[in-house]
Structures are given as structure tokens and as C-alpha cells.
């Protein structure tokens, strides 16, 4: 006998994500799920955001291991109150339940913007709703111009795409026209901004979080 | 290895989905290409997660779906194995309408045994 079901496999994750979303809304904090490959500059973008953003800012940093990201971010924030590290062990992405526990350690109402820095991975994190308002995808010039075409799920899901390390343009082969064409074909409503986080040039990102 | 997380998510749903007094024999799921799930890896993850549990006899059937596109200019709709596909009418910006599915479609359960007792 066959029984029809038709429900999302990740239904439980989605239900916890909905609970997180309600908590974020009640606290009045805007939440971004930041997804990018290892080494594309996610943490450096957030380090710079702590020094340049005029609002109240917090980060949940996801990694398989170590507290190195949180240590860097706490130094940049000059406070441990607005940074939580989540170690996923063997998990290649954050899920809504890990975020639910992490937000118990942050005073959400004291923040304007909270960025959840996902595990460095362009594939698995995209399918797991964390309760965020927006998904931000991050690529860098050093990654190569073909990453949007090779990772369409992230491009489809993203509200904003950041192209980082644009200062490397003289040193790497990167066809920007191809990059923008592929992004446009996959998601013509996504906003794309260019940054150079290690040089402190993150103004388009700051403008976006101020408006979002 | 997100197949493992997805297999665990499936196991978590089973108690709520199992009809009372029945045993599930097969679970049918559908996955779009954007989920980046390998059916064979998914079945292996399923076997690993259900090993030595009450669910180890349940078969997992994984149906791979294609990308689906629709053209607002000519009304055409089609499927494709490719990430991007232009419309035959020449429109290079068709609407992407499917490819991120990850759903439990149905369950097969053993028929109810007749009770011969009084």
C-alpha cells in the first residue's frame, strides 16, 4: 500500500528556522546568512564590518573546528558579547537547531544586524534555512570566474552576491563579463557588489546592510 | 556529505509519518539537481544512518528531477539537465521554475495483518 506524503525532507529544520525567525523579528534584528567558499574572505569582511559599520553588529561564526574566527572577530569587536563560535565537528553546514542554541548566548535585542557566517562551503549550507532575512553569497577573484555557473544553488538562493578580493585583478585571470553573465542568467534579481575586504574597501556591502 | 544530514532528517520524520500499526517498506523521495545529491551516496548515507535501528529494512528510493524552465515570451516550458537553458524562441532570460526540490513523496507500507484472535 502506498501512502502519499509530499513534504519537505528538511521539515523539522524549517520549523526550527521559523522559530528562530520569530525570535529575530521580536528582537528587531536583521539577520544575514553568509555563505562562501573557504578563504573567500568572509571573516575578514566581518572584521572590517565591526570597525566600519555604524550600527550594532553581531556574528555567529560556524566552522568545523577551532575558535580562530571568533578570536579574530572578538578582537575586532573589542567585546566577546556579540560573537558566538559554533563548531560543527564533521558537519559541513550550520542547521537551524545549532543557530537556535547559539542565539541563546547573544542578547539579540542589543543588535541591529546579526551575520551568521556559515561553514566555508558553497553547496550544503544553501539548503538549510536558519531563520535569516537574507542569504548572501560570497565569491572572490582568487576562486575563479566560473564559480556561479558551478554553484547555481547558491546563486539562485542569494539576495546579495559579494565579489571579494577585486584588488587582485592585476594578478589573476578572471573574466568579469563571464561572471556577471552567469549570475544574471541564474538570478537576475540578485544584487552584486564588489569589495576588497583586506584593503578595508567594503562600502557597497555596508550600504546594502544599511538599506536591507 | 550533506546526504548524511538529509538521511538523519528523514529518520527524524519517520515516527510522525508511519501509519499506526504499520511497517514502512520503502520511502520515495525526489531531489532536484540544485540539491547536489548523488542518489547512490544518498542510499549509502541512508544505510549508514539506519544501521542497527528499527528502520534498517526500509528501502530508500531516490528520484532525480531535472531543471524546469518557462518562457514568459512564448509560453513554452521545458526540462533540462543543464544549469542554464535558453528558450528555443531565442529568449535568453527564461524563468527558472524548478530544480531545488527535496521532498518525501510517498511511503510504501506493509498491508495490515488480519487479526484472527477473538
Amino acid at each position: 500500500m502506498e501512502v502519499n506524503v509530499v513534504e519537505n525532507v528538511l521539515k523539522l529544520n524549517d520549523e526550527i528556522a521559523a522559530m528562530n525567525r520569530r525570535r529575530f523579528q521580536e528582537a528587531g534584528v536583521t539577520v544575514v546568512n553568509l555563505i562562501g567558499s573557504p578563504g573567500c574572505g568572509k571573516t575578514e569582511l566581518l572584521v572590517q564590518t565591526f570597525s566600519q559599520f555604524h550600527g550594532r553588529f553581531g556574528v555567529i561564526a560556524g566552522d568545523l573546528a577551532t575558535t580562530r574566527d571568533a578570536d579574530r572577530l572578538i578582537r575586532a569587536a573589542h567585546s566577546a558579547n556579540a560573537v558566538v563560535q559554533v563548531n560543527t565537528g564533521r558537519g559541513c553546514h550550520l542547521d537551524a537547531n545549532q543557530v537556535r542554541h547559539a542565539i541563546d548566548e547573544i542578547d539579540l535585542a542589543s543588535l541591529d544586524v546579526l551575520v551568521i557566517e556559515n561553514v566555508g562551503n558553497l553547496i550544503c549550507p544553501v539548503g538549510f534555512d536558519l531563520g535569516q532575512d537574507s542569504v548572501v553569497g560570497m565569491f572572490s577573484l582568487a576562486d575563479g570566474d566560473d564559480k556561479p555557473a558551478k554553484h547555481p544553488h547558491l546563486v539562485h538562493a542569494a539576495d546579495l552576491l559579494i565579489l571579494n578580493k577585486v584588488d587582485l585583478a592585476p594578478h589573476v585571470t578572471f573574466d568579469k563579463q563571464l561572471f556577471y553573465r552567469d549570475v544574471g542568467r541564474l538570478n537576475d534579481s540578485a544584487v552584486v557588489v564588489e569589495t576588497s575586504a583586506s584593503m578595508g574597501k567594503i562600502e557597497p556591502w555596508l550600504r546594502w546592510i544599511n538599506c536591507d | 556529505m550533506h546526504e548524511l544530514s538529509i538521511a538523519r532528517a528523514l529518520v527524524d520524520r519517520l515516527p510522525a509519518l508511519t501509519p499506526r500499526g504499520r511497517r514502512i517498506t520503502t520511502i520515495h523521495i525526489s531531489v532536484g539537481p540544485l540539491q547536489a545529491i548523488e542518489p547512490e551516496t544518498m542510499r549509502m548515507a541512508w544505510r549508514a544512518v539506519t544501521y542497527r535501528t528499527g528502520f534498517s529494512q526500509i528501502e530508500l528510493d531516490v528520484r532525480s528531477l531535472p531543471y524546469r524552465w518557462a518562457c514568459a515570451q512564448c509560453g513554452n516550458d521545458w526540462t533540462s539537465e543543464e544549469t542554464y537553458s535558453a528558450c528555443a524562441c531565442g529568449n535568453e532570460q527564461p524563468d527558472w521554475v524548478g530544480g531545488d526540490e527535496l521532498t518525501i513523496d510517498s511511503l510504501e507500507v506493509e498491508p495490515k495483518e488480519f487479526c484472527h484472535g477473538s
Side-chain angles (χ1 to χ4, degrees):
Chain A
M1 191 184 92
E2 190 156 345
V3 181
N4 284 328
V5 179
V6 191
E7 69 167 37
N8 191 335
V9 173
L10 301 177
K11 183 181 162 72
L12 287 181
N13 183 79
D14 291 349
E15 286 174 359
I16 299 169
M19 287 161 52
N20 291 347
R21 191 165 279 117
R22 272 198 300 277
R23 284 180 68 182
F24 296 145
Q25 282 166 355
E26 282 164 15
V29 58
T30 300
V31 179
V32 170
N33 181 1
L34 177 61
I35 300 173
S37 55
C40 71
K42 296 184 295 300
T43 310
E44 186 58 28
L45 177 83
L46 302 176
V47 163
Q48 292 292 335
T49 306
F50 268 116
S51 41
Q52 297 187 39
F53 181 54
H54 294 304
R56 300 168 302 165
F57 184 59
V59 175
I60 295 172
D63 263 317
L64 270 73
T66 81
T67 58
R68 290 184 189 185
D69 279 4
D71 296 343
R72 268 172 79 188
L73 290 161
I74 287 168
R75 280 197 298 275
H78 305 295
S79 158
N81 295 335
V83 178
V84 178
Q85 178 83 55
V86 178
N87 284 135
T88 58
R90 283 173 294 177
C92 50
H93 56 267
L94 289 174
D95 63 37
N97 200 40
Q98 290 165 328
V99 171
R100 181 174 72 94
H101 289 300
I103 56 184
D104 286 341
E105 297 176 40
I106 282 190
D107 178 12
L108 288 176
S110 71
L111 299 177
D112 297 314
V113 175
L114 172 69
V115 172
I116 304 167
E117 181 189 351
N118 220 309
V119 177
N121 178 348
L122 295 169
I123 305 165
C124 320
V126 186
F128 290 79
D129 184 8
L130 305 179
Q132 72 276 340
D133 297 291
S134 309
V135 171
V136 174
M138 190 162 180
F139 300 112
S140 84
L141 248 68
D143 301 342
D145 48 33
D146 54 2
K147 288 301 164 288
K150 287 184 176 177
H151 296 279
H153 201 187
L154 176 58
V155 179
H156 272 297
D159 301 288
L160 173 78
L161 288 166
I162 299 172
L163 178 59
N164 191 35
K165 306 190 186 182
V166 290
D167 53 302
L168 292 182
H171 311 291
V172 296
T173 307
F174 188 97
D175 184 343
K176 264 196 193 176
Q177 216 178 344
L178 180 73
F179 176 90
Y180 278 97
R181 191 204 67 182
D182 287 343
V183 168
R185 281 177 166 180
L186 292 164
N187 182 352
D188 58 2
S189 61
V191 178
V192 187
V193 298
E194 297 186 7
T195 57
S196 180
S198 64
M199 314 292 277
K201 295 191 182 335
I202 60 165
E203 298 84 358
W205 152 251
L206 294 175
R207 275 202 300 278
W208 184 84
I209 52 174
N210 273 318
C211 297
D212 190 51
Chain B
M1 208 35 196
H2 58 315
E3 283 90 351
L4 267 179
S5 307
I6 291 162
R8 285 195 195 100
L10 270 171
V11 167
D12 289 343
R13 288 300 298 151
L14 284 183
L17 294 175
T18 308
R20 197 181 164 86
R22 301 289 187 94
R23 205 177 68 80
I24 297 173
T25 57
T26 309
I27 301 175
H28 296 279
I29 66 169
S30 289
V31 297
L34 287 177
Q35 295 291 345
I37 288 172
E38 265 306 311
E40 190 45 49
T41 310
M42 187 67 233
R43 282 189 288 270
M44 190 184 74
W46 175 252
R47 283 197 293 274
V49 166
T50 57
Y51 181 65
R52 288 187 174 172
T53 72
F55 304 126
S56 61
Q57 298 301 312
I58 300 175
E59 283 296 314
L60 180 67
D61 172 57
V62 184
R63 179 170 161 236
S64 297
L65 302 176
Y67 290 102
R68 287 183 293 120
W69 300 89
C71 177
Q73 291 181 11
C74 72
N76 189 19
D77 58 73
W78 67 98
T79 63
S80 164
E81 298 301 321
E82 299 299 320
T83 308
Y84 167 76
S85 169
C87 182
C89 78
N91 177 13
E92 293 195 355
Q93 284 289 359
D95 297 320
W96 170 85
V97 292
D100 67 344
E101 299 84 354
L102 178 56
T103 53
I104 305 173
D105 297 329
S106 63
L107 308 169
E108 285 177 37
V109 296
E110 278 185 342
K112 235 178 190 166
E113 284 177 18
F114 288 106
C115 179
H116 298 292
S118 57

